[in-house]
Amino acid sequence: MRQLAGKSIALITAIVIGLGSIVPSQVIASDLGKKSDRERGHSVQLGPRPQYLVNDMEEGALKEELQACLDKKPKRTLFSIGHRGAPMQFPEHTRESYEAGYRMGAGILECDVTFTRDKELVCRHAQNDLATTTNILLTDLADTCVKPFTPAVIADDGSLVSPASAECRTSEITLTEFRSLRGKMDAFNPRAQTPEEFVDGTADWRTDLYSGPDSGTLMTHAESIALFRKLGVKMTPELKAPSVEMPFDGFTQEDFARKMIDEYRAAGVPARDVYPQSFNRDDVLYWIDNDPAFGRQAVYLEDAGSPGELPDLAELNEDRASGINIVAPPIFALLALDADNNLVPSEYAENLKESGFGIIAWSLERSGMLADGDNGFYYQTIDEAISREGDVMEVIDTLARDVGVSGIFSDWPATVSFYASCVKPSRNRTHRRR
């Protein structure tokens, strides 16, 4: 890992686990005791998006390399991680979203884990996101919301004075009540005057096509484990920061961290198939100290909002010495621009490699259209060089070959799956010039 790991075949074709050991990423291991994709009759289906992105790329060696793969049979890969499933078009953390991510070749799927009033674990990105990710405001359970729907205040000239708002938590409802809800695309209309208008805010580059009354099936954490085992993929649960004060009715943060792991043990899932995550360093250290089999490949999520907030080399070395083996930063933290506007690894990325960490990047394809030149959080360090949709392939390539990430979270896993099924890691990268 310390010797230019980004240029090695291992970090393109493997996910880093434990103390540097690796698992081949182009095949789902048989250690889950399940059939292969071929035996199931399941094929990886990438759809038209990878071709669209490749065709939109600037001319160059990478485009030629990827074009040559457009008719190649794709493979499932651990390099492709389904971020909340496939939420670019499917309601996140639903059965339909997970199944879509699986079909797109993701070798790892994510359940963000929080808990209900009766302390049952469920898959939600945040404990308090039910107003924007489910239909709760349109049901009788709206009465449980800690902050009921409040309409937007709009001035006489049409300007927005204050946006519409609501806050509804899983910790205010039981598991039975949770199961009665349906997932929807994560969004809200800030100008809403009614709950119906509030839930109708999906971005125009996403879709509500798969958010009907017969879809959006919410999942418990245990149900996600069962589904992922059936599909034969690996699992990366994220222990979400509670919105309630802990302990919650006697339920401590350590209880929460332990219960999440216990549900894998109860299902008979080996630790090597699980990558537990948290933004909370104490959660990761708890797993390392109390359940080292799972802690060995626990993922410490970096929560910096800008480059100036990233830890320095000394801080990274301290984390490494504590037993943390894998760090997952946002994409912007790992990339920078050189004098010719080429994408290159950031200083922080080089420090991660020097400290010996495995690196996972989050999250691709959450920024909408790239050609508008205002791509927000994930591209803040490189936005100057992002001018077309096809540039996302350059981002993946730089993360893979130059930074040396072992996996990429994506809201549309097919894009990463295509890249990982195509690229020959031994081939020298040719930078494009702008």
Side-chain angles (χ1 to χ4, degrees), residues 18-329:
L19 296 170
S21 60
I22 55 176
V23 175
S25 71
Q26 297 303 318
V27 180
I28 288 298
S30 60
D31 50 23
L32 289 176
K34 297 297 179 181
K35 296 179 180 179
S36 68
D37 288 335
R38 170 185 256 177
E39 290 170 322
R40 290 189 195 92
H42 293 179
S43 61
V44 174
Q45 301 169 5
L46 300 182
R49 183 162 176 76
Q51 177 174 321
Y52 164 75
L53 294 171
V54 171
N55 289 344
D56 190 58
M57 292 176 67
E58 188 172 309
E59 297 301 323
L62 178 60
K63 181 174 183 176
E64 293 175 2
E65 183 175 12
L66 296 179
Q67 282 180 323
C69 293
L70 289 174
D71 293 324
K72 179 181 177 181
K73 185 177 181 180
K75 302 175 182 178
R76 189 167 309 285
T77 167
L78 297 182
F79 193 74
S80 178
I81 306 172
H83 182 238
R84 315 183 202 179
M88 191 181 206
Q89 292 194 11
F90 292 82
E92 64 185 45
H93 293 308
T94 62
R95 175 178 290 273
E96 293 81 2
S97 187
Y98 291 143
E99 290 174 341
Y102 164 77
R103 281 292 186 178
M104 292 182 208
I108 305 175
L109 292 173
E110 177 192 46
C111 167
D112 289 331
V113 182
T114 188
F115 56 86
T116 61
R117 192 176 74 199
D118 42 357
K119 307 182 191 71
E120 297 296 333
L121 304 188
V122 295
C123 298
R124 286 290 90 198
H125 177 64
Q127 191 169 57
N128 64 345
D129 73 0
L130 295 181
T132 61
T133 65
T134 76
N135 65 339
I136 190 170
L137 290 178
L138 307 182
T139 74
D140 292 341
L141 291 174
D143 292 338
T144 69
C145 296
V146 296
K147 295 180 181 179
F149 169 74
T150 302
V153 177
I154 301 174
D156 291 341
D157 63 2
S159 60
L160 184 63
V161 177
S162 62
S165 63
E167 182 182 351
C168 310
R169 299 175 177 174
T170 60
S171 52
E172 296 298 314
I173 61 177
T174 66
L175 178 59
T176 298
E177 291 169 330
F178 175 82
R179 290 183 186 278
S180 72
L181 300 176
R182 307 299 297 182
K184 75 174 194 68
M185 298 300 286
D186 183 14
F188 75 100
N189 177 1
R191 302 178 69 86
Q193 297 299 301
T194 67
E196 288 77 12
E197 291 177 349
F198 184 86
V199 301
D200 187 21
T202 302
D204 58 10
W205 50 274
R206 294 192 174 189
T207 181
D208 288 319
L209 188 61
Y210 306 107
S211 301
D214 296 324
S215 59
T217 308
L218 302 190
M219 303 282 288
T220 68
H221 177 234
E223 287 169 345
S224 78
I225 294 172
L227 175 63
F228 298 167
R229 289 200 80 196
K230 178 181 178 182
L231 297 177
V233 298
K234 295 183 184 289
M235 313 167 197
T236 185
E238 180 187 338
L239 196 74
K240 302 302 296 189
S243 299
V244 296
E245 184 177 351
M246 300 292 277
F248 175 75
D249 190 26
F251 190 56
T252 68
Q253 184 67 25
E254 289 187 351
D255 292 336
F256 184 24
R258 180 171 56 252
K259 183 167 184 172
M260 188 182 84
I261 299 301
D262 284 348
E263 292 200 347
Y264 289 93
R265 291 196 182 281
V269 178
R272 63 181 174 272
D273 294 322
V274 184
Y275 298 85
Q277 316 167 67
S278 181
F279 282 103
N280 184 344
R281 188 175 187 268
D282 289 341
D283 291 338
V284 177
L285 295 181
Y286 174 82
W287 293 322
I288 290 170
D289 293 339
N290 294 279
D291 207 331
F294 285 88
R296 186 177 302 116
Q297 55 190 42
V299 180
Y300 183 25
L301 297 164
E302 172 55 55
D303 65 353
S306 66
E309 299 174 11
L310 291 166
D312 60 22
L313 181 59
E315 292 172 297
L316 291 176
N317 285 337
E318 182 180 346
D319 285 339
R320 189 70 181 87
S322 72
I324 297 172
N325 295 317
I326 307 174
V327 172

